[in-house]
Amino acid sequence: MADLIESARGILSQSQRRMEATANNVANLTTPGFKATSLYSDVSAETGNSAPKPLLRERLDLDQGQLTKTNNPFDLAISGAGMFRLKGKDGAVAYSRSGQFKLASDGRVVTAQGLALQTASGGDLVAPDTHVKIAADGTVLDGDKAIARIGVYKPAAGVEAKPLGGSLFTMSEDVAEEVAAPALRQGMLEGSNVTLADEMVSMMDAMRQAEGGARMVQTYDDLMGRAISTLGQGVR
């Protein structure tokens, strides 16, 4: 009996996590550079007397989103592998596929949240005005003069960047490798790679899973009710 309710608890918990992941994906349907997260079942390799337990693990979908032309000179899209390196005022570093930048009053190129775009040599990218040209390799040109080069990075082989929320990711500096031949597109943005139809299917699967867990709880309640009723009759 205890196994039944424990199984139901596990099913309901997994269903809730699936719904939360789906809700987060749908909420970021229009977030530039967002990468969808999916959950899949795995079986832990436990030893001893414990039976293997099904676990939910996260899988980050790094497929590229659609590139859309905006004609904004500080909108940048990465075609292929890599992420932009961003730094906050507190020195914290994050990475992102979202290239939606603007020119701050001090000349720094920043995100809407104030995170500064980093150059390949380190330091904030500073532009003289909105007329700069950005080449595919990340070189920033003021007329014919190269003033900086934007750094594009990816995790080392076998390492994954971890989501921070929205389109931001984190990875250790010692595993961040500069992309040798990046392909930047000025005046374009990469959209979210969330597919609404896929998320609706995931949500329906999670709901069916929750219904199955609820039926197990109902079965447990029925069995307990019968047991109590039978014991009560025996006492008389």
Side-chain angles (χ1 to χ4, degrees), residues 6-211:
E6 182 63 22
S7 296
R9 186 197 65 78
I11 290 173
L12 291 172
S13 176
Q14 290 190 5
S15 173
Q16 180 180 359
R17 286 187 60 193
R18 290 181 187 277
M19 289 292 289
E20 290 172 349
T22 299
N24 184 57
N25 288 342
V26 173
N28 287 281
L29 185 64
T30 60
T31 301
F34 179 81
K35 299 303 175 187
T37 298
S38 60
L39 300 177
Y40 66 97
S41 296
D42 192 11
V43 177
S44 64
E46 292 188 6
T47 57
N49 297 326
S50 299
K53 296 181 180 179
L55 301 175
L56 278 184
R57 300 192 185 278
E58 291 188 355
R59 178 187 292 116
L60 190 62
D61 180 5
L62 293 177
D63 287 348
Q64 183 165 313
Q66 183 176 356
L67 302 187
T68 304
K69 192 172 183 178
T70 67
N71 292 321
N72 183 333
F74 288 113
D75 280 347
L76 302 172
I78 300 173
S79 180
M83 296 182 183
F84 299 107
R85 176 179 279 170
L86 310 172
K87 183 175 287 187
K89 292 181 179 180
D90 60 355
V93 173
Y95 294 84
S96 180
R97 290 281 297 189
S98 175
Q100 196 169 36
F101 302 106
K102 63 181 181 179
L103 192 63
S105 58
D106 58 2
R108 293 181 306 133
V109 178
V110 299
T111 68
Q113 296 76 30
L115 302 177
L117 178 61
Q118 299 297 289
T119 65
S121 60
D124 302 344
L125 174 61
V126 177
D129 52 44
T130 60
H131 301 296
V132 296
K133 300 297 182 182
I134 300 174
D137 66 354
T139 301
V140 182
L141 299 168
D142 180 16
D144 295 329
K145 179 183 178 182
I147 59 175
R149 185 169 63 83
I150 297 170
V152 179
Y153 302 86
K154 65 179 181 179
V159 182
E160 292 185 355
K162 298 180 181 179
L164 285 176
S167 60
L168 295 178
F169 299 84
T170 183
M171 56 178 148
S172 300
E173 293 299 295
D174 58 343
V175 302
E177 298 179 346
E178 187 175 359
V179 176
L184 299 188
R185 301 288 182 262
Q186 185 178 19
M188 301 187 76
L189 278 179
E190 178 186 359
S192 167
N193 69 351
V194 174
T195 303
L196 187 57
D198 292 343
E199 298 307 318
M200 293 301 100
V201 171
S202 296
M203 182 179 68
M204 292 173 64
D205 286 344
M207 291 177 65
R208 283 194 291 267
Q209 186 181 28
E211 290 171 356

